[in-house]
Amino acid sequence: MGSLSSNIDPALEEGFPCLSAQNTAFYIHELISDNLHLCKINADPSHGLEAATAAIWNSEKQICDAGTLAGIIYSQMSRASSDGLFEKIERTVLGMSRVQINKALTVLVRLVANEYGWLYGWKVLAAADPASGLHPLLMEDSVEVYNQVTVSTPPRRKLDVKLSVVRIAESGNISQIGPKTIGGHIWETDEKYLAAVKAWNIPSDLLLGPCILFAWVGSFKKLVLQSESPEVQAACWTAQLLGIVDYDIDIDESNLKVKVAAENQGKMRGTGWAGLMVTDQQMFNRSVQMKWWREGKGSFVLGPSEISPSDFAVAGYVDCAGLPPFAYQTAAQLLASRTAMFVGTLFCYMHDLIYDMGCPSRISSAAYAYSTGVFDYDIPQSWVVGMIDKSEIAEGILRRGQENLVLVPGSFDVDIGKAFEQALNMENVSNLIKRDKYTTDCVLQSPVLDLEANGVKCPKLCDKCFSPFLEAFTRSDDKIQAIPGIPESVVISSPVSIAAAIRRGCLFGASQDSCDDCACIIGIWANLKSEKVVISLMAIESVISSRDFMAMMYLIGCVALSPLRIMSVLAGFDLNADITFVKGAMGDRDVVDC
């Protein structure tokens, strides 16, 4: 009966431990006697796996065929089982109804999870539903990586600038910063944003600020066809947002909405499984991070001397909390997408270091890079921009037309570990080149109509600053440095126009021509108005192609890369300012408390 095991992906079977003789006997007895009972999952964390298996238990849809289930049972059974039992199991399974197979699969997954942990339970479910896109590599085991990490509070050169992260910042106090939030609250009454959210069928109980929400669902949007039912679209967004434990979405278990996931097939179902798996992964990661916090060990990893760039890059990619879209890809495409996701994660970390230094993310790739000394030469920032511009990511956006390989084309095959090593190589100082060597200038038009249509008004400034600010803000011949070939329709689009206008306003505020008071006003204004870029992009998404949608996101990103590279300024400041965190500023769980 060795043929039964041929139903299992060899890559998955290698990681399958056998159930104990006791659990094997228990399971086989219930299976053959058709007396299966839904056992409780004792593994921790397992909210996601418990929700997924409960949905399977109650589903009448085919999750797993009889032959595949028989093969999985074969791979899981204690090898001490008696002769002839395999044949009896196969006959039993082949005679089962679809509902019985689902129940048998549920019990098996839960038994495996109870004996070997939540991750092995997910591996069994992935083997049972191979068409869902839960590839072995997608379930990269970063458990051991987290257990290897030692955190500390390394000495840093500090600027003569003191800042405090507090629970509620005092109005007008520029030395205080409030906690990380879901994007403020102004968006809650923005009619254009709420209309875009409704059009995208994003569940109202999962709403976040525009910039945060778009970061997780924007690149996923063109994979989910507009022709899909609102329920299916909502289920996809829910799956993508399940792993964001930093925003407390995990606290309310009613968010584990998996009925639609279980009732669908293939990749659509895979997004649901991936979202629930990420929930368990994030909860495990958080439990380790909370242990570090309780022990007062700080929030910086020690770097390559402790853990390799390859292992750390995998941990950072898994910890991104945005894996469900990968269920739409083949296993081969996933290799490239892991690297692309890591590049994006590092890019984001360098814009957000101030909070990662204090509390929520102890697996920050930017902090890891800092420990190697390369931040002194701006190498990680330069590397990220080079990867985005020169790798085939941006070029592929333009040539793939309507293809839905949103994250990265299959030809982008740099290994995730080697990619991170490149970013940490001090020898790259001599390899840095000017970006204009491979980019061109995209010339913009007057932004006045776009600004008016989207409610982006000038801030109230003093008489001296207002006129020069307005001149810069409404300038009609501005340029954005980007790769050649960006469609003209993208260059003159509203989202790009608004982003560039806000950038020009900020550059004025940072110049010698602006007084200090107005510089602070402009900074606050830009922070509030930046979400208008995302809102305008969400509003026009349905009428633009996948190519133009992705090209638009790329060009908007380029706005912050020149003439002033914002992430270099932010990361450099955050790492060197004298920043303290008031107790309780980041919430009771040492994460964002929304």
Side-chain angles (χ1 to χ4, degrees):
M1 291 301 296
S3 61
L4 284 174
S5 62
S6 64
N7 289 299
I8 303 300
D9 183 337
L12 282 168
E13 188 178 15
E14 288 178 6
F16 275 9
C18 292
L19 285 172
S20 65
Q22 180 179 358
N23 274 335
T24 296
F26 168 79
Y27 180 70
I28 298 305
H29 173 74
E30 289 212 342
L31 182 74
I32 294 177
S33 63
D34 191 20
N35 189 32
L36 291 162
H37 292 85
L38 185 62
C39 58
K40 181 177 176 59
I41 298 183
N42 299 319
D44 190 25
S46 60
H47 288 310
L49 186 61
E50 188 165 17
T53 49
I56 294 172
W57 177 271
N58 292 308
S59 178
E60 297 182 358
K61 298 286 186 178
Q62 178 173 300
I63 308 296
C64 173
D65 62 60
T68 299
L69 177 60
I72 293 174
I73 295 172
Y74 171 83
S75 69
Q76 291 294 148
M77 287 180 57
S78 168
R79 296 300 181 256
S81 302
S82 61
D83 292 339
L85 188 56
F86 297 133
E87 290 85 350
K88 193 171 184 179
I89 291 170
E90 184 177 29
R91 288 195 299 271
T92 300
V93 173
L94 292 177
M96 284 180 165
S97 67
R98 187 178 296 168
V99 171
Q100 289 172 314
I101 289 175
N102 286 345
K103 293 185 182 303
L105 173 62
T106 298
V107 175
L108 181 61
V109 169
R110 291 192 170 198
L111 284 174
V112 171
N114 285 342
E115 190 163 341
Y116 294 105
W118 59 273
L119 185 61
Y120 282 104
W122 277 112
K123 287 184 176 182
V124 173
L125 179 53
D129 192 12
S132 67
L134 282 183
H135 310 298
L137 195 59
L138 189 58
M139 296 180 290
E140 185 78 43
D141 185 0
S142 66
V143 172
E144 289 304 314
V145 173
Y146 262 85
N147 288 332
Q148 292 173 35
V149 173
T150 302
V151 292
S152 65
T153 306
R156 292 182 288 116
R157 294 170 299 172
K158 295 183 178 180
L159 299 171
D160 187 23
V161 177
K162 294 183 181 293
L163 294 173
S164 296
V165 177
V166 298
R167 187 65 172 153
I168 301 176
E170 297 175 5
S171 177
N173 190 336
I174 62 173
S175 67
Q176 290 187 351
I177 302 172
K180 193 174 182 179
T181 73
I182 57 175
H185 297 283
I186 294 178
W187 55 268
E188 293 175 353
T189 57
D190 190 305
E191 294 183 2
K192 194 166 185 177
Y193 177 58
L194 297 178
V197 165
K198 185 177 181 180
W200 279 30
N201 293 303
I202 295 174
S204 59
D205 56 346
L206 291 179
L207 283 190
L208 303 167
C211 295
I212 297 172
L213 182 70
F214 192 86
W216 267 275
V217 305
S219 61
F220 194 11
K221 181 65 177 74
K222 288 298 187 180
L223 287 177
V224 182
L225 299 179
Q226 198 68 29
S227 59
E228 296 287 356
S229 70
E231 291 78 13
V232 168
Q233 293 184 48
C236 287
W237 309 140
T238 301
Q240 177 72 334
L241 293 170
L242 280 176
I244 312 177
V245 298
D246 276 4
Y247 298 95
D248 285 355
I249 288 178
D250 62 290
I251 286 181
D252 185 356
E253 291 187 29
S254 67
N255 286 326
L256 302 185
K257 302 170 182 175
V258 294
K259 181 178 180 182
V260 175
E263 296 304 297
N264 279 288
Q265 296 179 344
K267 306 302 183 184
M268 196 68 72
R269 186 161 65 212
T271 61
W273 296 157
L276 291 167
M277 181 189 69
V278 168
T279 300
D280 289 341
Q281 175 73 59
Q282 289 288 299
M283 292 303 291
F284 170 80
N285 295 352
R286 184 63 66 217
S287 68
V288 176
Q289 291 165 343
M290 286 297 292
K291 181 175 181 292
W292 295 337
W293 171 70
R294 287 192 296 270
E295 295 172 354
K297 290 186 175 180
S299 57
F300 271 74
V301 295
L302 300 180
S305 62
E306 177 194 34
I307 183 171
S308 73
S310 181
D311 286 344
F312 198 85
V314 169
Y317 139 76
V318 172
D319 197 34
C320 74
L323 302 184
F326 295 151
Y328 278 84
Q329 297 189 304
T330 65
Q333 291 166 343
L334 180 58
L335 282 169
S337 290
R338 292 165 82 225
T339 302
M341 178 61 81
F342 174 72
V343 172
T345 301
L346 178 57
F347 178 84
C348 292
Y349 274 134
M350 286 191 287
H351 285 83
D352 202 18
L353 257 174
I354 189 169
Y355 293 116
D356 292 337
M357 288 165 57
C359 293
S361 180
R362 316 306 173 94
I363 205 76
S364 168
S365 49
Y368 183 98
Y370 174 79
S371 70
T372 69
V374 294
F375 258 84
D376 293 344
Y377 303 94
D378 214 38
I379 292 176
Q381 294 89 329
S382 301
W383 177 81
V384 164
V385 177
M387 289 289 281
I388 293 173
D389 281 338
K390 291 292 287 179
S391 67
E392 291 189 23
I393 299 178
E395 294 173 17
I397 290 169
L398 300 176
R399 67 176 171 77
R400 290 199 308 274
Q402 296 298 318
E403 290 180 351
N404 278 326
L405 302 180
V406 176
L407 294 174
V408 69
S411 59
F412 184 63
D413 57 0
V414 180
D415 175 75
I416 187 172
K418 292 180 180 178
F420 197 26
E421 288 177 0
Q422 292 174 9
L424 303 178
N425 188 348
M426 193 71 76
E427 295 179 1
N428 283 327
V429 172
S430 60
N431 296 326
L432 298 178
I433 62 173
K434 288 188 176 181
R435 187 166 174 250
D436 57 14
K437 193 170 184 178
Y438 56 85
T439 58
T440 188
D441 288 334
C442 298
V443 182
L444 308 181
Q445 295 183 356
S446 171
V448 174
L449 294 179
D450 290 324
L451 295 173
E452 291 179 353
N454 289 276
V456 185
K457 300 178 180 179
C458 292
K460 294 182 179 179
L461 305 176
C462 71
D463 293 340
K464 172 181 174 292
C465 293
F466 181 78
S467 292
F469 173 88
L470 182 63
E471 181 180 355
F473 186 49
T474 58
R475 179 180 166 187
S476 61
D477 61 346
D478 195 11
K479 299 174 182 178
I480 299 176
Q481 194 176 2
I483 61 170
I486 301 293
E488 181 67 13
S489 60
V490 171
V491 176
I492 65 174
S493 65
S494 291
V496 173
S497 181
I498 297 169
I502 293 174
R503 176 188 69 175
R504 292 191 299 272
C506 290
L507 288 175
F508 170 79
S511 71
Q512 295 294 328
D513 297 328
S514 174
C515 69
D516 290 346
D517 287 346
C518 286
C520 292
I521 292 172
I522 292 169
I524 296 172
W525 164 84
N527 184 52
L528 295 174
K529 295 302 180 182
S530 61
E531 62 188 30
K532 294 291 188 179
V533 177
V534 172
I535 294 171
S536 64
L537 181 55
M538 292 180 69
I540 65 174
E541 175 273 331
S542 63
V543 297
I544 58 179
S545 67
S546 297
R547 181 201 67 170
D548 286 358
F549 184 63
M550 293 302 293
M552 209 171 287
M553 287 194 285
Y554 165 74
L555 193 57
I556 290 169
C558 289
V559 168
L561 299 182
S562 66
L564 183 68
R565 187 182 293 169
I566 300 301
M567 63 177 165
S568 296
V569 177
L570 289 177
F573 179 82
D574 290 350
L575 283 166
N576 293 291
D578 188 357
I579 301 173
T580 57
F581 286 75
V582 174
K583 185 176 180 180
M586 296 296 288
D588 296 334
R589 300 192 307 150
D590 188 37
V591 293
V592 179
D593 187 12
C594 303

